[in-house]
Amino acid sequence: MPIRAGSNASASAARTAPTLRETAVGPLPGHGIERLAARIAGLDRWRRFSAAVALGVLASLSVPPLYAAPVLWLAFPGLFWLLAGTSTGRSAFLTGWAFGFGFFVPGLYWVSWALTVDLPRFFWIIPFALAGLPALLAIFTGLAGLGFHWLRRAGWGGPLALAAAWGLAEWLRGHVLTGFPWNLIGYAWVGWLPVLQGVSVIGIYGLSVLTVAAATLPATLAGSRRQGLVATIAGILLFAAIAGWGAWRLSGDDGAVVPGVTLRLVQPNISQADKWSGEKLRENFERQIQMSKAPGIDRVTAVIWSETAVPFTLSWEPEAQRMLGEMLPPGALALVGATRATPYGTQPLEAWNSIYVLDRAGTILTAYDKAHLVPFGEYVPLRSLLAPFGIEKITAGSVDFSPGPGPRTIALPGLPPVSPLICYEAIFPGAVLDPAGSRPGWLLNVTNDGWYGMTSGPYQHFAIARTRAVEEGLPLVRAANTGISGVVDAYGRVRGEIALGEAGILDVALPAALPETPYARWGETGFWLLLLLGLLAGRIGRPAR
């Protein structure tokens, strides 16, 4: 049965197009799975495109907050068969792109929600954010489809080749043009903690590779029934082994905490529309002061506020510094998000998105400046070229933030040393610690997800940050303006949480750090080894073309 390369294929192209027997799907004795695979692989161009989009939407159910990881065992065999039916690199790229577009639109719809905060100014950008960002990110899944086309082999080598191509595409997405490694396939396991423990060895990119490989292996049932059954069982056993090891690892958690340390997280739940409202700036600030001084403050070691919780440039405001100090008990610290700037009146003016550390006297002990800035949120890339088109930041102010020097380990009196992360700095695997500094005792992530309302975005952000804790073997403390605030131990378990959309405080002990994990020690080495194995295995067997 020939596989059509597209509805407009000529008779000559149809005669030379690969048959299903010649593709990675395998021979066709005619049982049900093979007939299904042949039908999917033989779709014409537009039906293939539509099916790829639908399978991408199905795969998006696996990401937070649903964590429906089993749907991947339907989505990726379908994608595999669609790619097996392509006869050109262009067709394979477009099929992979369509799958990615279907995956990213429902997974990232919340990005456009930020534009509704100032709807009169930014309403016209909403369609571009809703469809344009997914279209750009889908280029990477298109490259995965193209990579599979180049590597495509018969038998079980095919799924491994697809997994390697997908893993490399995810890694590129996390690094090209500052990177955006959001909703990697491996994050489907954040809701399945025993499996998530695997990132302590191979990282989230490595877990994505294994997930795509195991989820795609059942596609080989459309070829040799025996070989396909063995491959499918092997994939199931692989994840059963990961889950078993992860459960054993979790069983060793004794709930250890850092003695004598109690943290108070403050979540004011201030809407983004009110956060920078001129008449409410002082009211918002004083409200958080009062929340911080709630009963039990005498037992607190540190009070932690969210990103830009202080609604003005703190380095210019001695009175605000004094008020922050006065809310603290003796020996305690305030760790608060606020902007920092060069001295008032100096030119040129520079500003940073920062975390300040203050003592009871209101003295600024140190500050951390965000290094990985959000394009169009904190600065406008290629500003001179884009300004004539009216493209500007969606956040308040006309001055672009300057980037800080990068991850730092900060020593704090009365607390273990900390590695601070502001907002989406926590989404970058392997980039949350200072490679030249000493190992910290915890990660601190302050953020403002108020831009995204009650959408899935804040749930995804929290899940991604939790994964950094497991990778590095370090507890994570997260303070968010509107949620989700919480404390996560080094195994990814949530020890305390303030739900999305609620105002409140959380007093919680700081969980103890674990010894350095293999991932913390060797970084992405495990991922690259898996990628190499996948590429080599993808070359085993007879060619698919």
Side-chain angles (χ1 to χ4, degrees):
M1 173 182 175
I3 297 177
R4 290 167 289 179
S7 58
N8 298 323
S10 65
S12 173
R15 284 195 298 271
T16 59
T19 66
L20 192 58
R21 186 181 302 277
E22 297 170 325
T23 69
V25 174
L28 264 179
H31 64 69
I33 295 178
E34 289 171 343
R35 288 195 295 271
L36 175 63
R39 192 167 184 175
I40 293 174
L43 292 173
D44 62 32
R45 180 173 56 192
W46 293 110
R47 288 188 176 92
R48 178 183 294 116
F49 185 90
S50 298
V53 171
L55 289 170
V57 172
L58 177 65
S60 73
L61 301 179
S62 68
V63 302
L66 296 179
Y67 302 114
V71 302
L72 299 175
W73 271 253
L74 298 174
F76 276 99
L79 174 62
F80 179 84
W81 292 329
L82 287 174
L83 290 170
T86 60
S87 59
T88 65
R90 178 176 179 272
S91 181
F93 173 85
L94 290 175
T95 300
W97 182 91
F99 182 92
F101 185 75
F103 178 77
F104 289 121
V105 168
L108 296 175
Y109 76 92
W110 50 267
V111 173
S112 61
W113 192 269
L115 301 171
T116 65
V117 173
D118 193 350
L119 194 59
R121 287 177 63 202
F122 298 114
F123 72 92
W124 62 276
I125 306 179
I126 290 177
F128 296 97
L130 192 60
L133 179 61
L136 289 173
L137 295 177
I139 292 173
F140 294 98
T141 57
L143 292 175
L146 180 60
F148 171 77
H149 178 77
W150 289 339
L151 294 168
R152 189 169 60 188
R153 313 297 283 183
W156 55 267
L160 301 185
L162 178 58
W166 186 278
L168 181 57
E170 283 200 338
W171 184 89
L172 289 171
R173 177 159 66 89
H175 291 80
V176 173
L177 298 177
T178 80
F180 190 62
W182 198 282
N183 283 355
L184 306 176
I185 287 296
Y187 288 125
W189 300 110
V190 175
W192 309 62
L193 274 182
V195 177
L196 187 66
Q197 302 308 303
V199 302
S200 67
V201 179
I202 57 176
I204 191 64
Y205 291 120
L207 189 58
S208 285
V209 171
L210 291 184
T211 302
V212 174
T216 311
L217 281 170
T220 60
L221 288 166
S224 165
R225 293 288 293 275
R226 182 176 179 179
Q227 186 184 67
L229 188 60
V230 170
T232 300
I233 292 174
I236 293 172
L237 290 177
L238 170 65
F239 270 83
I242 294 173
W245 174 79
W248 171 82
R249 186 173 190 261
L250 289 168
S251 69
D253 175 24
D254 59 2
V257 298
V258 177
V261 172
T262 299
L263 306 176
R264 170 164 288 184
L265 278 59
V266 178
Q267 180 171 301
N269 195 34
I270 299 169
S271 73
Q272 194 59 38
D274 291 339
K275 184 175 175 64
W276 298 102
S277 175
E279 65 271 15
K280 294 187 177 181
L281 291 183
R282 188 172 184 91
E283 175 186 331
N284 292 338
F285 179 67
E286 292 180 346
R287 176 185 172 190
Q288 293 175 88
I289 290 282
Q290 293 306 312
M291 293 177 71
S292 301
K293 294 164 64 175
I297 184 64
D298 55 303
R299 299 187 297 272
V300 169
T301 314
V303 175
I304 301 174
W305 289 11
S306 61
E307 178 188 16
T308 59
V310 178
F312 30 76
T313 303
L314 186 57
S315 56
W316 291 353
E317 302 290 343
E319 181 188 359
Q321 297 169 29
R322 177 185 58 77
M323 293 174 68
L324 287 168
E326 288 177 348
M327 75 182 184
L328 299 172
L333 301 176
L335 284 70
V336 300
T339 56
R340 190 176 73 83
T342 49
Y344 188 79
T346 60
Q347 294 295 330
L349 175 67
E350 281 193 273
W352 295 267
N353 185 355
S354 305
I355 298 174
Y356 290 80
V357 180
L358 301 95
D359 62 14
R360 194 171 185 239
T363 303
I364 297 173
L365 302 182
T366 188
Y368 167 79
D369 301 324
K370 186 178 181 182
H372 210 131
L373 302 176
V374 180
F376 303 104
E378 294 169 312
Y379 74 103
V380 178
L382 305 175
R383 176 179 282 276
S384 60
L385 297 177
L386 297 177
F389 298 97
I391 297 176
E392 53 187 306
K393 292 193 308 174
I394 66 170
T395 54
S398 59
V399 176
D400 286 348
F401 281 118
S402 298
R408 291 176 53 199
T409 298
I410 297 177
L412 300 173
L415 288 167
V418 63
S419 180
L421 306 164
I422 298 177
C423 189
Y424 94 147
E425 287 186 315
I427 77 171
F428 295 94
V432 297
L433 303 183
D434 182 355
S438 58
R439 178 172 165 82
W442 54 302
L443 304 172
L444 171 62
N445 180 211
V446 302
T447 188
N448 174 26
D449 291 349
W451 289 98
Y452 309 113
M454 301 297 288
T455 66
S456 61
Y459 292 98
Q460 293 172 6
H461 201 181
F462 185 50
I464 292 169
R466 285 175 65 186
T467 305
R468 302 289 85 79
V470 185
E471 284 175 340
E472 302 292 348
L474 296 172
L476 172 91
V477 177
R478 189 172 194 266
N481 169 30
T482 57
I484 303 166
S485 300
V487 173
V488 178
D489 68 16
Y491 297 97
R493 287 173 165 161
V494 179
R495 295 283 187 89
E497 177 181 336
I498 308 174
L500 178 64
E502 294 183 3
I505 61 172
L506 175 66
D507 291 351
V508 64
L510 176 64
L514 294 176
E516 195 175 33
T517 64
Y519 179 83
R521 182 172 300 174
W522 295 307
E524 304 293 355
T525 301
F527 161 70
W528 291 112
L529 289 175
L530 285 174
L531 209 64
L532 179 61
L533 290 173
L535 292 171
L536 291 176
R539 304 305 298 171
I540 295 176
R542 70 181 190 281
R545 294 185 295 277

